[in-house]
């Protein structure tokens, strides 16, 4: 069951984003958070612990992702049978999906030196999905840029506004 305070704050965040887009044309996450906190202090008080936990979860997730992208020490993968050229490209840890709920709450991070073949396979599937999504977004954004250029956009033109001028 969803927390009604959190649902109320989610709607307040959405409204504040829409207002920022309308008023100044962009939004900054920290500014959105400050405005919502000031306007909805009673909901913030009710959710203080949960919000702190969520913020720390996000912090931990970022740190774990950072850790999985950088090698900590070259000695981790100095194992017989692992060529040095391969070892220097391997991350120190991998992320393994663990939940079926579609979000990353079930994802665990595990040192590569402790990973099983099944876990490595799961990580490869996760990476493949991320690469596919990134490639799709990259292609779509390149096409959007090309449409804007064809419509006469310059470096300071509003992309969608320029394209809409063609129609």
């Amino acid at each position: 069951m969803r927390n009604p305070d959190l649902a109320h704050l989610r709607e307040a965040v959405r409204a504040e984003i829409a207002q920022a887009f309308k008023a100044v044309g962009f939004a900054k996450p920290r500014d959105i958070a400050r405005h919502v906190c000031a306007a909805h202090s009673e909901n913030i008080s009710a959710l203080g612990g949960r919000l702190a936990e969520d913020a720390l979860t996000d912090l931990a997730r970022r740190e774990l992702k950072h850790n999985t992208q950088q090698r900590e020490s070259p000695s981790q993968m100095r194992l017989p049978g692992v060529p040095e050229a391969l070892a220097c490209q391997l991350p120190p840890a991998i992320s393994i999906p663990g939940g079926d709920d579609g979000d990353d709450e079930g994802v665990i991070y595990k040192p590569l030196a402790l990973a099983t073949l099944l876990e490595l396979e799961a990580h490869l599937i996760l990476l493949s999905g991320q690469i596919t999504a990134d490639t799709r977004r990259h292609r779509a954004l390149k096409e959007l840029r090309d449409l804007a250029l064809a419509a006469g956009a310059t470096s300071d033109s509003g992309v969608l506004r320029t394209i809409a001028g063609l129609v």
Side-chain angles (χ1 to χ4, degrees):
M1 182 175 162
R2 291 192 178 253
N3 186 314
D5 288 313
L6 187 55
H8 181 73
L9 289 172
R10 185 175 289 115
E11 286 304 315
V13 166
R14 289 177 182 148
E16 191 63 40
I17 290 170
Q19 175 59 29
F21 286 168
K22 185 177 179 182
V24 294
F26 63 90
K28 293 181 180 179
R30 180 63 64 187
D31 291 344
I32 298 299
R34 286 183 181 135
H35 287 277
V36 171
C37 285
H40 302 276
S41 59
E42 67 287 348
N43 296 102
I44 297 299
S45 294
L47 286 174
R50 175 59 192 247
L51 292 173
E53 181 184 317
D54 289 349
L56 289 171
T57 299
D58 288 342
L59 177 63
R61 187 176 295 116
R62 281 192 304 272
E63 288 298 315
L64 285 163
K65 284 182 180 180
H66 177 73
N67 184 43
T68 62
Q69 295 170 358
Q70 292 188 353
R71 292 191 32 79
E72 289 177 344
S73 85
S75 64
Q76 175 188 346
M77 299 312 304
R78 290 187 192 230
L79 301 170
V82 178
E84 184 61 35
L86 174 61
C88 69
Q89 296 180 43
L90 295 173
I94 60 173
S95 51
I96 305 160
D100 296 328
D101 49 9
D103 64 15
D104 63 352
E105 288 296 317
V107 173
I108 64 167
Y109 296 83
K110 189 171 191 177
L112 184 58
L114 301 176
T116 66
L117 182 59
L118 183 64
E119 292 166 335
L120 183 58
E121 291 286 347
H123 178 70
L124 289 170
I125 291 168
L126 183 69
L127 277 179
S128 179
Q130 292 169 350
I131 290 167
T132 299
D134 286 346
T135 301
R136 188 178 307 120
R137 280 189 294 274
H138 182 263
R139 286 183 184 146
L141 289 168
K142 279 178 53 178
E143 187 172 337
L144 183 68
R145 179 207 55 204
D146 293 347
L147 286 170
L149 288 171
T154 62
S155 60
D156 58 345
S157 298
V159 173
L160 297 178
R161 225 175 287 147
T162 302
I163 294 170
L166 278 180
V167 178

